[in-house]
Amino acid sequence: MKAGDLTLLQRIRDLLGIAKPLAAGGSRGNSQAICLLSPWIYGNKEPVALADSRPIIQTSGSLNEIRIERNGATEWRALASSSQPIQTPLNWPTQAIKPGDQITLILRGRQSPAADLVKITLLGASKNKMIEYQEALQKIKEDPERLPGLVREALDRHDPVLAMTLLRQSPTSKNTKHLKELLDANPCQSKTRDKSRP
């Protein structure tokens, strides 16, 4: 079946279905694999370009650590206590991502040792891409019913990161609620662990 024959819901389900838990590099199997729901990184070659300058950070489970490095320097870090894990979703906690910024998002699962870190490389998208995203988001805020069409356009352009970001950030309306409900179902359906992203 061709992508053009699929309904938007089917296309989003297929996209969610490729998400796999990420395991720390060099893990001996004792650490907790992490499913990163936002920012969306799956199905893309690294580094992933983000049009959203302040992406939501969301994982399927709680964490012991989150660290953000920008252009090689640690910019923000949060550590859980023995009784209080880090819960997501978490609004972007530091300065906005600018075009061309290289961001390393470092995550450690709740049951993972200190050395078992998942590292994800992100890039600030081009200025035009960031403007395009803001314009699309504004259109959705003014008329939430435009969400399906804009998500479909992003998928048609083979831009799943933009499609998932619009789904995550947009307001919910009566007719688009079912689209966003897909994000609340755990999309990490595979038990296969990916290698850590450098």
Short mmCIF file of all heavy atoms in Angstrom, two decimals, residues 73-101:
data_model
loop_
_atom_site.label_atom_id
_atom_site.label_comp_id
_atom_site.label_asym_id
_atom_site.label_seq_id
_atom_site.Cartn_x
_atom_site.Cartn_y
_atom_site.Cartn_z
N ALA A 73 29.52 22.44 25.43
CA ALA A 73 29.58 22.89 26.83
C ALA A 73 28.27 22.58 27.55
O ALA A 73 27.19 22.77 26.99
CB ALA A 73 29.87 24.38 26.89
N THR A 74 28.36 22.10 28.80
CA THR A 74 27.16 21.83 29.57
C THR A 74 26.44 23.13 29.89
O THR A 74 27.02 24.06 30.43
CB THR A 74 27.50 21.10 30.89
OG1 THR A 74 28.10 19.84 30.58
CG2 THR A 74 26.24 20.86 31.72
N GLU A 75 25.16 23.17 29.54
CA GLU A 75 24.38 24.38 29.73
C GLU A 75 23.33 24.23 30.83
O GLU A 75 22.98 25.20 31.49
CB GLU A 75 23.70 24.74 28.40
CG GLU A 75 22.94 26.04 28.40
CD GLU A 75 22.50 26.43 27.00
OE1 GLU A 75 23.29 27.05 26.29
OE2 GLU A 75 21.36 26.09 26.63
N TRP A 76 22.84 23.00 31.02
CA TRP A 76 21.79 22.79 32.02
C TRP A 76 21.83 21.33 32.44
O TRP A 76 22.11 20.44 31.64
CB TRP A 76 20.43 23.13 31.42
CG TRP A 76 19.29 23.03 32.38
CD1 TRP A 76 18.84 24.01 33.23
CD2 TRP A 76 18.45 21.89 32.59
NE1 TRP A 76 17.76 23.54 33.95
CE2 TRP A 76 17.50 22.24 33.58
CE3 TRP A 76 18.40 20.62 32.05
CZ2 TRP A 76 16.52 21.35 34.02
CZ3 TRP A 76 17.42 19.72 32.49
CH2 TRP A 76 16.50 20.10 33.46
N ARG A 77 21.56 21.10 33.74
CA ARG A 77 21.57 19.73 34.25
C ARG A 77 20.57 19.60 35.39
O ARG A 77 20.44 20.52 36.22
CB ARG A 77 22.96 19.35 34.74
CG ARG A 77 23.10 17.90 35.16
CD ARG A 77 24.50 17.64 35.67
NE ARG A 77 24.73 16.22 35.92
CZ ARG A 77 25.61 15.75 36.77
NH1 ARG A 77 26.35 16.59 37.49
NH2 ARG A 77 25.77 14.45 36.95
N ALA A 78 19.87 18.49 35.43
CA ALA A 78 18.96 18.18 36.54
C ALA A 78 19.22 16.76 36.99
O ALA A 78 19.38 15.85 36.17
CB ALA A 78 17.51 18.34 36.11
N LEU A 79 19.27 16.56 38.32
CA LEU A 79 19.46 15.24 38.89
C LEU A 79 18.28 14.91 39.80
O LEU A 79 17.80 15.76 40.55
CB LEU A 79 20.76 15.20 39.72
CG LEU A 79 22.07 15.26 38.94
CD1 LEU A 79 23.24 15.42 39.91
CD2 LEU A 79 22.25 14.02 38.08
N ALA A 80 17.86 13.66 39.75
CA ALA A 80 16.79 13.20 40.64
C ALA A 80 17.36 12.95 42.03
O ALA A 80 18.56 12.73 42.20
CB ALA A 80 16.18 11.92 40.08
N SER A 81 16.49 12.99 43.02
CA SER A 81 16.89 12.58 44.36
C SER A 81 16.53 11.10 44.53
O SER A 81 15.94 10.49 43.65
CB SER A 81 16.15 13.41 45.41
OG SER A 81 14.76 13.11 45.39
N SER A 82 16.90 10.53 45.65
CA SER A 82 16.60 9.11 45.88
C SER A 82 15.11 8.85 45.93
O SER A 82 14.65 7.74 45.62
CB SER A 82 17.27 8.64 47.17
OG SER A 82 16.80 9.43 48.26
N SER A 83 14.34 9.87 46.31
CA SER A 83 12.89 9.67 46.44
C SER A 83 12.08 10.39 45.37
O SER A 83 10.90 10.12 45.21
CB SER A 83 12.43 10.16 47.82
OG SER A 83 12.73 11.54 47.97
N GLN A 84 12.70 11.30 44.64
CA GLN A 84 11.96 12.11 43.67
C GLN A 84 12.61 12.03 42.29
O GLN A 84 13.59 12.71 42.02
CB GLN A 84 11.89 13.57 44.13
CG GLN A 84 11.00 14.45 43.27
CD GLN A 84 9.55 14.03 43.30
OE1 GLN A 84 9.00 13.75 44.36
NE2 GLN A 84 8.92 13.96 42.14
N PRO A 85 12.06 11.19 41.39
CA PRO A 85 12.62 11.12 40.04
C PRO A 85 12.26 12.35 39.22
O PRO A 85 11.41 13.15 39.61
CB PRO A 85 11.95 9.86 39.46
CG PRO A 85 10.64 9.78 40.19
CD PRO A 85 10.92 10.29 41.58
N ILE A 86 12.92 12.50 38.10
CA ILE A 86 12.57 13.57 37.16
C ILE A 86 11.41 13.07 36.31
O ILE A 86 11.50 12.01 35.69
CB ILE A 86 13.77 13.92 36.26
CG1 ILE A 86 14.94 14.42 37.11
CG2 ILE A 86 13.37 14.96 35.22
CD1 ILE A 86 16.24 14.54 36.34
N GLN A 87 10.34 13.83 36.30
CA GLN A 87 9.16 13.47 35.52
C GLN A 87 9.07 14.36 34.28
O GLN A 87 9.39 15.54 34.33
CB GLN A 87 7.88 13.62 36.36
CG GLN A 87 7.87 12.80 37.63
CD GLN A 87 7.68 11.30 37.39
OE1 GLN A 87 7.45 10.86 36.27
NE2 GLN A 87 7.78 10.53 38.46
N THR A 88 8.62 13.77 33.20
CA THR A 88 8.37 14.54 31.99
C THR A 88 6.90 14.41 31.63
O THR A 88 6.22 13.53 32.17
CB THR A 88 9.25 14.01 30.83
OG1 THR A 88 8.88 12.67 30.52
CG2 THR A 88 10.72 14.07 31.18
N PRO A 89 6.34 15.27 30.78
CA PRO A 89 7.01 16.25 29.92
C PRO A 89 7.59 17.43 30.69
O PRO A 89 7.10 17.82 31.74
CB PRO A 89 5.91 16.70 28.96
CG PRO A 89 4.64 16.45 29.70
CD PRO A 89 4.89 15.24 30.54
N LEU A 90 8.66 17.97 30.10
CA LEU A 90 9.39 19.08 30.68
C LEU A 90 9.56 20.14 29.60
O LEU A 90 10.05 19.85 28.51
CB LEU A 90 10.76 18.59 31.17
CG LEU A 90 11.72 19.62 31.74
CD1 LEU A 90 11.23 20.12 33.09
CD2 LEU A 90 13.13 19.01 31.88
N ASN A 91 9.14 21.36 29.91
CA ASN A 91 9.37 22.45 28.96
C ASN A 91 10.87 22.69 28.82
O ASN A 91 11.63 22.49 29.77
CB ASN A 91 8.68 23.74 29.43
CG ASN A 91 7.17 23.66 29.31
OD1 ASN A 91 6.63 22.98 28.43
ND2 ASN A 91 6.47 24.33 30.20
N TRP A 92 11.30 23.10 27.64
CA TRP A 92 12.72 23.34 27.39
C TRP A 92 13.27 24.25 28.48
O TRP A 92 12.81 25.37 28.67
CB TRP A 92 12.90 23.96 26.01
CG TRP A 92 14.33 24.03 25.57
CD1 TRP A 92 15.09 25.15 25.45
CD2 TRP A 92 15.17 22.93 25.18
NE1 TRP A 92 16.36 24.83 25.02
CE2 TRP A 92 16.44 23.47 24.85
CE3 TRP A 92 14.98 21.55 25.10
CZ2 TRP A 92 17.49 22.66 24.43
CZ3 TRP A 92 16.03 20.75 24.69
CH2 TRP A 92 17.27 21.31 24.35
N PRO A 93 14.27 23.78 29.25
CA PRO A 93 14.66 24.47 30.48
C PRO A 93 15.74 25.54 30.34
O PRO A 93 16.12 26.17 31.33
CB PRO A 93 15.17 23.32 31.35
CG PRO A 93 15.77 22.38 30.35
CD PRO A 93 14.93 22.48 29.11
N THR A 94 16.24 25.75 29.16
CA THR A 94 17.34 26.69 28.99
C THR A 94 17.07 27.58 27.78
O THR A 94 15.96 27.59 27.26
CB THR A 94 18.68 25.93 28.87
OG1 THR A 94 19.75 26.87 28.81
CG2 THR A 94 18.71 25.04 27.65
N GLN A 95 18.08 28.33 27.33
CA GLN A 95 17.84 29.29 26.25
C GLN A 95 17.43 28.59 24.96
O GLN A 95 17.75 27.41 24.74
CB GLN A 95 19.08 30.15 26.02
CG GLN A 95 20.31 29.39 25.58
CD GLN A 95 21.49 30.31 25.33
OE1 GLN A 95 21.39 31.27 24.59
NE2 GLN A 95 22.62 30.01 25.95
N ALA A 96 16.72 29.31 24.13
CA ALA A 96 16.18 28.75 22.90
C ALA A 96 17.30 28.25 21.98
O ALA A 96 18.41 28.77 21.99
CB ALA A 96 15.36 29.81 22.17
N ILE A 97 16.97 27.22 21.22
CA ILE A 97 17.90 26.69 20.23
C ILE A 97 17.90 27.62 19.02
O ILE A 97 16.85 28.00 18.51
CB ILE A 97 17.47 25.27 19.80
CG1 ILE A 97 17.49 24.34 21.02
CG2 ILE A 97 18.38 24.74 18.70
CD1 ILE A 97 16.89 22.97 20.75
N LYS A 98 19.08 27.98 18.59
CA LYS A 98 19.22 28.86 17.43
C LYS A 98 19.62 28.05 16.21
O LYS A 98 20.18 26.94 16.33
CB LYS A 98 20.28 29.94 17.72
CG LYS A 98 19.93 30.84 18.88
CD LYS A 98 21.08 31.80 19.19
CE LYS A 98 20.75 32.67 20.39
NZ LYS A 98 21.90 33.54 20.77
N PRO A 99 19.38 28.58 15.00
CA PRO A 99 19.79 27.87 13.79
C PRO A 99 21.27 27.51 13.85
O PRO A 99 22.12 28.33 14.18
CB PRO A 99 19.50 28.87 12.67
CG PRO A 99 18.37 29.70 13.21
CD PRO A 99 18.65 29.83 14.69
N GLY A 100 21.57 26.24 13.58
CA GLY A 100 22.95 25.78 13.56
C GLY A 100 23.52 25.34 14.89
O GLY A 100 24.60 24.75 14.94
N ASP A 101 22.83 25.61 16.00
CA ASP A 101 23.30 25.14 17.31
C ASP A 101 23.40 23.62 17.30
O ASP A 101 22.51 22.93 16.79
CB ASP A 101 22.35 25.56 18.43
CG ASP A 101 22.59 26.98 18.92
OD1 ASP A 101 23.60 27.58 18.52
OD2 ASP A 101 21.75 27.48 19.70
#
